[in-house]
Amino acid sequence: MALRTTYRRRALSMTSLIDVIFLLLLFFMLSSTFSRFADVELASTSAPGAGASDRALFLQVTPDSLRLNTDDLEIAALPARLADLLPDGNGKLLLSLSADVTSQRLTDVLVILRAQPNMTLSILAPS
């Protein structure tokens, strides 16, 4: 006659499970970012020349500087300079990016340009 061994079930310890859940929660809380990033809405232009006047500006963006037409300026001075050149906000702007411009730098410039009410924006991608 074969002897059958009986297995006794032990109660599951919840202490180690709670520790693992706490460590996962702590990891995800410390590794995530809670700051809100700026959303930039990109839309294509409608008809050529629609809503824009004859005034056209050229903005070159590099990682270290900005050049509006031929004037070097800082990013903080860009809104005032645009207000001087385009008092009513109507105009065309051609935005040229150098190859090593970061996406954060581009976003900072686009947020400033978006504040101009009726500006038509064209972006030249680096080659």
Side-chain angles (χ1 to χ4, degrees):
M1 171 181 251
L3 293 174
R4 230 190 307 183
T5 59
T6 58
Y7 293 103
R8 195 168 137 214
R9 288 184 100 166
R10 288 182 28 201
L12 185 62
S13 173
M14 296 299 279
T15 305
S16 61
L17 183 63
I18 291 171
D19 288 342
V20 169
I21 291 173
F22 177 72
L23 287 174
L24 285 173
L25 179 67
L26 189 65
F27 171 75
F28 287 118
M29 285 178 61
L30 293 176
S31 65
S32 62
T33 305
F34 294 108
S35 63
R36 186 167 179 211
F37 294 102
D39 296 331
V40 177
E41 192 175 307
L42 296 177
S44 62
T45 58
S46 54
S53 66
D54 293 334
R55 292 172 285 181
L57 302 174
F58 183 69
L59 179 66
Q60 292 174 307
V61 180
T62 63
D64 303 326
S65 65
L66 292 176
R67 179 175 286 170
L68 184 61
N69 291 341
T70 57
D71 301 329
D72 288 325
L73 52 103
E74 295 293 322
I75 195 165
L78 182 60
R81 187 69 179 134
L82 286 173
D84 290 343
L85 294 173
L86 303 170
D88 55 354
N90 293 328
K92 298 177 189 177
L93 184 96
L94 185 60
L95 183 65
S96 173
L97 305 173
S98 69
D100 49 351
V101 171
T102 62
S103 59
Q104 183 62 48
R105 177 90 167 156
L106 175 61
T107 304
D108 293 341
V109 171
L110 288 176
V111 166
I112 292 172
L113 296 177
R114 188 176 179 195
Q116 298 297 320
N118 297 320
M119 181 176 289
T120 303
L121 178 65
S122 298
I123 301 175
L124 297 175
S127 57

